[in-house]
């Protein structure tokens, strides 16, 4: 790979409705390391990333938020760009699938597949996971649920156009055999080969039940399936079809980096599409492992999603880049914990590399007035040092096979070699100025070389090292040059900060305790429940004292003085009310926006932390989880009641409301044995199976 002058690397294009997390950052960092390595070699590099913006999942999310779909996605893109900026991701192209250039590419590849006789009309009946935007067979599921998202799949039955994937079984198997690098890493190839050998079903590539996608040019009722659309991004970025010169130069891609969950799309469907369109296939598709956090799957509901932006702000972007690629082998899963991250920073970065630099700079400052000294005769020890720095061949081999952790181990052997050299040479004891100069020259040269090797992984730190050494414009092309005597060195700050794990753990614990106390306090304040119980006796009340209505959350803001409270604007058709709720620790704002909820509208207006709340939104709490009461089809402003009861118009106080014992049974809201309904629709409760309603 690396002796060619063209290098094209891609990341998957991310669904923009998620916040960029550690998993997304991982692929982007790895792609960036490869891009920087190849640029440093002098290759012509194209590095693409972007966002996957079509499909039912995005359309639904926009609807839920009550926004136009395009406007909804437009607002989500900056958070991805911001993350890549913080992490120093040097992409050349950021593609959005809603761009015009992409539409042309999709239509063109589709046309070629169509003309090749690989697209036909049929009827689709099957199971669909919205989270994956993928069709599944019963055998792929766990108790009717998607294995990745753990959610129930939908039954989809509609007219559809199909791509004749079944016709590519032999061709794919043959291709895998002849192109040994295509399925990477090597140890995962059997999984794909065996599945392909089991047989391939034709793929439904159009949908009629929603509109948010590229229209299918042969039948306008249909839109193109989101994966057919998304995979094509890789050729759009390479200039297909309108820039044939660029396409010729950069296609096929050198490597597509993908997570293990989307191997099938990239290693089976995508090559079959390209074969059908008579386009070349990427040279390699590498499926990397997944990150867990403290041994657990990263998930919104557990609340352990790691933000690369926050983590970089706390510990440094280069540090995070280093950790992710050093800690786990790229083809395997890895586990993130603050403890292991700090251990790596303290020992590999601060102790090994940071100290080496600061020792060298101190000695040069003290003995040679911060000027790189002349080199004189070499000894065996000096030769040994140079040998330990001669790692290019193995480093390059590891970079070519995406064994980043091994590439870094090679570099760290060189760092240790240089540390050993200082320890053995003991420059602080050398009296002969010529010999001392030679030793310190060699250490400075070692640092220059190391800065070249670490640059793809830690571009900012490499730059800082060079500033200290007085060198500039280094790259693999200058690896064999030598540092020039006479350059002025600068002793800057420490290259890496060290952290006290115990202190950080203590701070974390204190933060958690404080949050817990605050949560308790908020709870008391919002519900006034405890107070009410203590001071007045809550009387059992009848349901008929309530006036409940369906309202839609049309706007959400954070309460400026209470970090557990949201300020919601709720639309009832004839009026909009401001309501404060303590849902902030349990729901992201975009999860609530657009939801139809149940509101107690005849509750006396309350002032909470300086702001008015004109009613109360109903929710249930059980085992630390909170879920709202919601409706899907009811109209805003509609009454919510139980059979035979007309809503009251009389204002009530909180204690009266608290006396109405409503509860959730099997996910449905009840008062005693009557279901709460808006018209004929039952009121359902999110996340909570059984629990009290308040
Ligand atoms: N939009 C599709 C990709 C289309 S490419 C033509 C998609 N997007 S995604 O946003 O859901 O996921 C993007 C990538 O993030 C995937 O490669 C996935 O494997 C990766 N990760 C998501 N969670 C992850 C971890 N916890 N750890 C590592 N990577 C993970 O799929």
């Amino acid at each position: 790979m690396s002796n060619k002058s063209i290098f094209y690397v891609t990341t998957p294009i991310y669904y923009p409705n998620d916040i960029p997390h550690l998993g997304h950052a991982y692929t982007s960092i790895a792609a960036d390391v490869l891009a920087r390595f190849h640029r440093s070699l002098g290759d012509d590099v194209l590095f693409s990333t972007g966002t996957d913006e079509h499909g039912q999942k995005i359309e639904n999310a926009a609807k839920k938020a009550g926004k136009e779909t395009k406007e909804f996605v437009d607002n989500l893109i900056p958070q991805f760009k911001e993350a890549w900026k913080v992490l120093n991701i040097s992409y050349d192209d950021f593609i959005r699938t809603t761009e015009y250039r992409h539409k042309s590419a999709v239509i063109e590849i589709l046309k070629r597949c169509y003309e090749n006789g690989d697209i036909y009309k049929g009827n689709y009946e099957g199971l669909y996971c919205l989270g994956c935007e993928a069709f599944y067979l019963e055998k792929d599921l766990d108790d009717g649920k998607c294995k990745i998202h753990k959610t129930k799949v939908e039954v989809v039955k509609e007219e559809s156009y199909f791509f004749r994937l079944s016709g590519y079984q032999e061709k794919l198997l043959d291709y895998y055999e002849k192109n040994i690098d295509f399925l990477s890493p090597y140890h995962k190839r059997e999984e794909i080969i065996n599945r392909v050998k089991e047989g391939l079903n034709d793929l439904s590539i159009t949908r009629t039940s929603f509109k948010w996608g590229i229209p299918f040019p042969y039948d306008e009722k249909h839109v193109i399936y989101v994966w057919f659309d998304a995979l094509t991004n890789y050729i759009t970025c390479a200039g297909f079809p309108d820039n044939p010169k660029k396409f010729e130069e950069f296609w096929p891609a050198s490597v597509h980096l993908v997570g293990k969950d989307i191997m099938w799309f990239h290693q089976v469907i995508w090559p079959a599409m390209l074969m059908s369109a008579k386009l070349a296939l990427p040279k390699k598709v590498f499926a990397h492992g997944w990150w867990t956090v403290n041994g657990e799957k990263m998930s919104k509901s557990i609340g352990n999603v790691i933000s690369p932006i926050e983590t970089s702000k706390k510990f440094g972007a280069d540090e995070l880049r280093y950790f992710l690629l050093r800690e786990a082998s790229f083809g395997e899963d890895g586990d993130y914990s603050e403890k292991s991250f700090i251990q790596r920073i303290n020992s590999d970065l601060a102790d090994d590399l940071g100290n080496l630099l600061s020792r060298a700079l101190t000695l040069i400052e003290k003995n040679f007035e911060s000027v790189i000294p002349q080199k004189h005769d070499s000894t065996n020890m000096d030769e040994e040092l140079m040998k330990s720095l001669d790692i290019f061949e193995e480093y390059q081999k590891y970079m070519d096979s995406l064994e980043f952790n091994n590439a870094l181990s090679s570099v760290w052997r060189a760092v240790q070699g240089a540390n050993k050299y200082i320890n053995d040479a003991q420059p602080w004891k050398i009296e002969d100025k010529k010999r001392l100069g030679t030793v310190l020259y060699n250490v400075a040269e070692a640092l220059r070389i190391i800065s070249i090797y670490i640059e793809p992984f830690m571009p900012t730190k490499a730059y800082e090292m060079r500033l200290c050494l007085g060198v500039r414009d280094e790259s693999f092309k200058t690896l064999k040059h030598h540092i020039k005597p006479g350059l002025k060195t600068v002793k800057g700050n420490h290259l890496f900060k060290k952290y006290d794990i115990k202190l950080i753990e203590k701070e974390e614990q204190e933060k958690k305790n404080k949050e817990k106390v605050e949560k308790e306090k908020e709870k008391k304040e919002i519900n006034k429940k405890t107070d009410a119980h203590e001071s007045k006796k809550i009387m059992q009340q009848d349901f008929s004292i309530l006036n409940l209505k369906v309202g839609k959350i049309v706007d959400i803001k954070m309460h400026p003085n209470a970090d557990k409270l949201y300020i919601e604007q709720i639309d009832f058709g004839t009026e909009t009310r401001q309501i404060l709720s303590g849902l902030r620790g349990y729901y992201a704002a975009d999860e609530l926006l657009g939801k139809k909820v149940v509101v107690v509208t005849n509750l006396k207006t309350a002032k909470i932390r300086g702001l008015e709340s004109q009613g109360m939104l109903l929710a249930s709490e059980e085992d630390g989880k909170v879920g709202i009461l919601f409706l899907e089809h009811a109209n805003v402003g509609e009454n919510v009641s139980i059979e035979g009861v007309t809503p009251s118009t009389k204002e009530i106080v909180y204690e009266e409301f608290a006396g109405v014992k409503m509860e959730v049974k099997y996910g449905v809201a009840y008062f005693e044995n009557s279901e709460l309904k808006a018209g004929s629709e039952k009121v359902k409760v999110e996340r909570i199976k059984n629990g009290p309603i308040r």
Side-chain angles (χ1 to χ4, degrees), residues 15-17 52-63 69 72-73 76 130 133 212:
Y15 291 126
N17 60 325
D52 187 355
E53 302 182 6
H54 286 132
Q56 196 175 356
K57 176 157 67 176
I58 303 288
E59 187 180 277
N60 288 358
K63 264 195 200 141
T69 321
F72 174 71
V73 270
L76 297 170
L130 198 58
E133 292 276 18
W212 184 242

Side-chain angles (χ1 to χ4, degrees), residues 164-182:
R164 216 178 291 282
L165 187 61
S166 57
Y168 288 89
Q169 183 186 28
E170 287 311 317
K171 291 184 191 112
L172 285 168
L173 290 170
D174 186 52
Y175 187 83
Y176 300 152
E177 200 179 310
K178 295 199 174 110
N179 297 275
I180 209 74
D181 274 347
F182 181 77

Side-chain angles (χ1 to χ4, degrees), residues 67-195:
K67 297 236 170 73
E68 280 295 313
T69 321
K70 181 64 168 57
E71 185 199 343
F72 174 71
V73 270
D74 283 350
N75 288 335
L76 297 170
I77 308 308
Q79 59 176 359
F80 275 86
K81 293 201 168 160
E82 163 72 7
W84 304 154
K85 196 166 145 203
V86 170
L87 287 169
N88 255 312
I89 305 297
S90 60
Y91 57 80
D92 300 298
D93 197 349
F94 188 106
I95 177 141
R96 299 184 50 186
T97 52
T98 46
E99 285 173 62
Y100 183 74
R101 60 170 174 153
H102 180 63
K103 185 174 169 187
S104 314
V106 175
I107 300 292
E108 181 61 28
I109 188 172
L110 184 93
K111 200 173 115 216
R112 294 190 189 191
C113 297
Y114 191 89
E115 281 165 6
N116 196 26
D118 280 334
I119 292 176
Y120 65 91
K121 191 173 176 177
N123 276 306
Y124 187 80
E125 192 173 342
L127 306 167
Y128 197 76
C129 168
L130 198 58
C132 299
E133 292 276 18
F135 296 103
Y136 285 115
L137 297 173
E138 199 69 56
K139 71 174 174 58
D140 304 323
L141 307 172
D142 254 354
D143 195 20
K145 289 183 179 165
C146 161
K147 284 185 183 157
I148 299 171
H149 293 90
K150 316 273 179 232
T151 46
K152 272 220 167 329
V153 292
E154 287 175 32
V155 179
V156 171
K157 195 174 169 183
E158 58 191 50
E159 179 186 286
S160 177
Y161 286 81
F162 284 81
F163 172 67
R164 216 178 291 282
L165 187 61
S166 57
Y168 288 89
Q169 183 186 28
E170 287 311 317
K171 291 184 191 112
L172 285 168
L173 290 170
D174 186 52
Y175 187 83
Y176 300 152
E177 200 179 310
K178 295 199 174 110
N179 297 275
I180 209 74
D181 274 347
F182 181 77
L183 300 180
S184 287
Y186 189 79
H187 67 271
K188 284 193 188 150
R189 59 188 267 113
E190 285 306 312
E191 194 183 320
I192 290 288
I193 292 176
N194 290 338
R195 276 180 68 192

Side-chain angles (χ1 to χ4, degrees), residues 527-539:
N527 292 341
K528 293 188 196 152
K529 181 174 157 253
T530 329
D531 286 345
H533 271 294
E534 278 165 8
S535 57
K536 295 175 205 164
K537 213 154 166 55
I538 289 182
M539 304 277 291

Side-chain angles (χ1 to χ4, degrees), residues 351-479:
D351 289 349
D352 294 347
L353 181 57
N355 262 350
L356 176 66
L357 178 71
S358 76
R359 278 161 104 192
L361 295 170
T362 306
L363 287 161
I364 294 171
E365 180 183 46
K366 202 165 135 212
N367 298 291
F368 295 93
E369 290 166 355
S370 299
V371 172
I372 303 277
Q374 288 286 344
K375 177 182 165 130
H376 300 275
D377 299 340
S378 288
T379 64
N380 279 347
M381 187 192 259
D382 303 348
E383 303 291 332
E384 276 299 308
L385 168 69
M386 288 309 149
K387 244 208 263 148
S388 74
L389 293 166
D390 189 9
I391 56 165
F392 182 72
E393 228 172 90
E394 58 174 286
Y395 178 90
Q396 183 180 36
K397 183 186 98 204
Y398 288 137
M399 292 297 255
D400 285 353
S401 52
L402 281 69
E403 293 172 69
F404 301 112
N405 59 335
N406 288 331
L408 283 167
S409 296
S410 303
V411 181
W412 252 254
R413 273 194 296 279
V415 171
Q416 271 139 15
N419 272 317
K420 181 172 181 307
Y421 177 77
I422 301 199
N423 292 345
D424 293 348
Q426 300 189 307
W428 48 91
K429 284 194 185 158
I430 301 177
E431 278 166 16
D432 173 4
K433 200 88 190 199
K434 277 191 176 170
R435 179 64 197 147
L436 180 59
T438 304
V439 167
L440 295 182
Y441 174 90
N442 286 337
V443 177
E445 170 67 351
L447 283 161
R448 180 191 72 89
I449 293 173
I450 289 163
S451 84
I452 298 174
Y453 283 109
I454 67 158
E455 190 190 63
F457 296 89
M458 295 187 282
T460 312
K461 297 297 173 185
Y463 180 74
E464 283 174 24
M465 279 176 79
R466 289 175 196 157
L467 281 183
C468 293
L469 294 169
V471 295
R472 51 208 289 229
D473 297 337
E474 295 286 342
S475 71
F476 281 103
K477 286 189 287 183
T478 66
L479 191 63

Side-chain angles (χ1 to χ4, degrees), residues 14-25 76 79-80 83-84 298 300 305-310 588 590:
Y14 305 105
Y15 291 126
N17 60 325
D18 209 354
I19 50 156
H21 58 60
L22 198 72
H24 305 128
L76 297 170
Q79 59 176 359
F80 275 86
W84 304 154
M298 207 163 36
K300 266 196 214 161
V305 176
I306 300 289
S307 148
I309 301 185
E310 295 309 316
D590 70 346

Side-chain angles (χ1 to χ4, degrees), residues 11-19 21-27 50-53 57 80 97 131-133 149 226-227 229-234 257-263 265-266 288-293 296-299 333-334:
T11 75
I13 46 172
Y14 305 105
Y15 291 126
N17 60 325
D18 209 354
I19 50 156
H21 58 60
L22 198 72
H24 305 128
Y26 188 43
T27 332
T51 40
D52 187 355
E53 302 182 6
K57 176 157 67 176
F80 275 86
T97 52
C132 299
E133 292 276 18
H149 293 90
V226 62
W227 271 98
D229 167 342
L231 288 162
T232 304
N233 92 86
Y234 302 125
L257 300 185
V258 300
K260 61 180 182 179
D261 54 323
I262 54 175
M263 254 161 97
F265 294 100
H266 286 82
H288 66 66
W290 269 43
W291 283 89
T292 48
V293 174
E296 281 189 291
K297 190 173 179 245
M298 207 163 36
S299 93
D333 293 343

